[in-house]
């Protein structure tokens, strides 16, 4: 493709990057990646199977947890093909259309994770601050509507950024910085004015990456106010312990997400290895850690896993 060619005229491809400086060791680096992907797929699938098979877990808290597990599975399966084929077979080229599809699903599932965690914060708020009305507020119909609203919200948030990117000419280097396609990475290949894209991205960051954790903080502020004002010390500990899994899941998502966003905006000249490590931590932390967190911290999930595998053994 010649310099200055627009993507609407000729097919366009991108070249993915592995671990810079360690290309000769990709086959060995693939081992921990393969283990992490396996943990994510098996962990989230097990969570879904346990919640599906145990009628006692068909409650709002666990229905939201199943949404989180589905989102984590989507996040994992979106990047697994490009990452593993690059590390195993050194397949670096990805078509423009496939890259766009990966950007769409990657950012949609990432925003869905944030939205589900916000819904789970609301669930904890209602359970602790309005316990007598919990069952009447969070009915199955309400939870279903929340799930549909999350999907619509995230798809409508991501699509405009892709349409804005699609209209621009791609004429810089084809080389991307990671082993999968990110919007922040693709926009560097554009040789036109990207101010509209940048402003839309900034608004998106405010509406999701900033607003969601702020609303989660507000919900926990209200929970703390309610717990500290009325409960005994033992009840306070129990209430806060019930929220610990969700708090850890929030940290596992938002710390890497904020880190990679800040790195792309303010540390563009940092060594490529720094960006690659941060991007992979952002990619793999939530899907790998969430099943572990909820299995370790939730007695009902542990019992469900025991019953599930005991039933299979019999």
């Amino acid at each position: 493709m010649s310099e200055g060619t627009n993507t609407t005229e000729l097919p366009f491809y991108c070249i993915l990057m592995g671990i810079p400086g360690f290309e000769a060791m990709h086959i060995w680096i693939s081992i921990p990646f393969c283990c992490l992907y396996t943990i994510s797929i098996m962990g989230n699938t097990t969570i879904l199977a346990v919640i599906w098979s145990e009628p006692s877990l068909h409650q709002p808290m666990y229905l939201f947890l199943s949404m989180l597990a589905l989102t984590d599975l989507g996040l994992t399966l979106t990047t697994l093909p490009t990452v593993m084929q690059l590390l195993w077979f050194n397949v670096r080229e990805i078509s423009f259309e496939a890259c766009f599809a990966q950007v769409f699903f990657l950012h949609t599932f990432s925003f869905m994770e944030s939205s589900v965690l916000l819904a789970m914060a609301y669930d904890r708020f209602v359970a602790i601050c309005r316990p007598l009305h919990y069952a009447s507020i969070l009915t199955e119909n309400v939870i279903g509507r929340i799930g549909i609203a999350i999907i619509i919200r995230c798809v409508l948030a991501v699509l405009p950024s892709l349409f804005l990117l699609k209209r621009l000419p791609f004429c810089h280097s084809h080389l991307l910085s990671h082993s999968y396609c990110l919007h922040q990475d693709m926009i560097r290949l554009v040789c036109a004015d990207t101010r509209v894209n940048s402003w839309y991205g900034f608004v998106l960051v405010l509406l999701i990456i900033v607003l969601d954790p702020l609303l989660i903080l507000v919900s926990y502020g209200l929970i703390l106010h309610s717990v500290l004002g009325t409960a005994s010390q033992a009840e306070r500990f129990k209430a806060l312990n019930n929220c610990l899994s969700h708090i850890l899941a929030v940290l596992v998502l938002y710390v890497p997400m904020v880190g990679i966003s800040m790195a792309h905006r303010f540390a563009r000249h940092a060594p490529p290895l720094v960006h690659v490590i941060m991007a992979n931590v952002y990619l793999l932390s939530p899907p790998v850690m969430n099943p572990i967190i909820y299995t370790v911290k939730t007695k009902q999930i542990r019992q469900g896993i025991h019953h599930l595998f005991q039933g299979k053994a019999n």
Side-chain angles (χ1 to χ4, degrees), residues 94-151:
I94 180 171
S95 70
F96 181 77
E97 292 77 12
C99 208
F100 254 65
Q102 191 171 56
V103 167
F104 170 75
F105 285 111
L106 178 60
H107 290 285
T108 299
F109 282 123
S110 181
F111 290 158
M112 282 177 64
E113 181 123 3
S114 177
S115 301
V116 172
L117 288 174
L118 177 58
M120 294 173 82
Y122 176 67
D123 167 74
R124 291 297 82 206
F125 165 76
V126 175
I128 294 171
C129 299
R130 301 286 187 272
L132 298 179
H133 302 95
Y134 183 66
S136 60
I137 292 175
L138 287 173
T139 63
E140 288 190 5
N141 284 337
V142 169
I143 294 169
R145 289 171 188 169
I146 290 173
I148 293 170
I150 287 172
I151 294 171

Side-chain angles (χ1 to χ4, degrees), residues 139-305:
T139 63
E140 288 190 5
N141 284 337
V142 169
I143 294 169
R145 289 171 188 169
I146 290 173
I148 293 170
I150 287 172
I151 294 171
I152 293 172
R153 177 202 193 204
C154 297
V155 169
L156 292 182
V158 174
L159 279 179
S161 64
L162 294 183
F163 288 134
L164 288 170
L165 188 61
K166 176 73 173 175
R167 67 184 177 84
L168 298 173
F170 287 74
C171 54
H172 288 170
S173 166
H174 298 184
L175 185 63
L176 296 173
S177 303
H178 306 296
S179 48
Y180 52 90
C181 299
L182 277 173
H183 180 271
Q184 304 97 309
D185 204 14
M186 286 189 72
I187 205 166
R188 295 189 304 105
L189 309 183
V190 171
C191 57
D193 188 356
T194 60
R195 281 179 293 180
V196 174
N197 304 65
S198 297
W199 276 109
Y200 183 78
F202 178 71
V203 170
L204 210 55
V205 166
L206 288 179
L207 290 179
I208 295 181
I209 299 178
V210 174
L211 181 62
D212 284 5
L214 279 178
L215 292 174
I216 291 171
L217 281 175
V218 168
S219 71
Y220 274 104
L222 295 171
I223 288 171
L224 279 174
H225 181 267
S226 175
V227 168
L228 296 177
T230 59
S232 66
Q233 187 170 352
E235 289 171 330
R236 291 172 193 170
F237 177 78
K238 182 180 179 181
L240 295 176
N241 189 55
N242 287 338
C243 296
L244 183 58
S245 299
H246 180 254
I247 293 170
L248 292 174
V250 167
L251 292 175
V252 162
L253 173 66
Y254 287 115
V255 171
M257 182 185 285
V258 171
I260 194 172
S261 296
M262 297 293 285
H264 274 284
R265 286 186 176 273
F266 304 112
R268 294 179 181 178
H269 301 296
L273 185 60
V274 173
H275 290 280
V276 169
I277 290 173
M278 291 185 68
N280 284 312
V281 169
Y282 158 72
L283 166 71
L284 292 170
S285 290
V288 170
M289 292 304 300
N290 286 339
I292 296 172
I293 290 169
Y294 278 94
T295 300
V296 170
K297 292 298 300 176
T298 309
K299 181 180 178 182
Q300 291 85 344
I301 295 294
R302 291 199 305 273
Q303 290 175 340
I305 292 172

Side-chain angles (χ1 to χ4, degrees), residues 58-75:
H58 295 174
Q59 302 173 27
M61 174 183 173
Y62 302 106
L63 294 176
F64 285 125
L65 178 56
S66 67
M67 290 183 195
L68 188 66
L70 278 171
T71 302
D72 284 334
L73 268 178
L75 199 58

